[in-house]
Amino acid sequence: MSVVKSPLSEADRKVTGEALQGALVDLVDLALVAKQVHWNVVGPRFRSVHLQLDEVVATARQHSDTVAERASAIGVTPDGRAGTVASTSAIGKVPEGWIQDVDVVSTMVQALGALIGKMRERIDATEEPDPVSQDILIGLTRDLEKHAWMFQAESV
């Protein structure tokens, strides 16, 4: 039962809710992963990579709030709890301890690539049931692709 009345049919709300929940989990994990490697990056490009990671965190946090609020608006309760994030995120594990700047860049390229692939699937899934949510997913994917491009340029 939903406390909030949804403008979507039950079937459309289910598809859209799953897409938004998946996006939320991935964005929360992206912010955590980027902060983890941000605190542990070392190497000659420390400063530039360190600052770039803060930009990723800001993007992930901003979009996670937008995604969660959209889910609420369509009658889906968002779940960003640690256990949910840990068990359902598309991002793999990151190394512990100090991480060389080149390895941080590689980690971020992989993490962003995994998320972008999932986001594009979610964009496709929400095209018919909810173009409003699809628009949100398109905007956040645009920003993730920009970060991916910038990290890929660091790895050349």
Side-chain angles (χ1 to χ4, degrees), residues 9-29:
S9 71
E10 187 59 34
D12 289 350
R13 188 174 72 91
K14 182 178 184 324
V15 169
T16 303
E18 288 172 2
L20 292 171
Q21 177 58 36
L24 174 62
V25 163
D26 289 345
L27 289 166
V28 169
D29 200 23

Side-chain angles (χ1 to χ4, degrees), residues 61-73:
R61 287 179 177 165
Q62 174 190 1
H63 284 295
S64 65
D65 195 49
T66 300
V67 165
E69 289 176 355
R70 178 63 187 161
S72 292

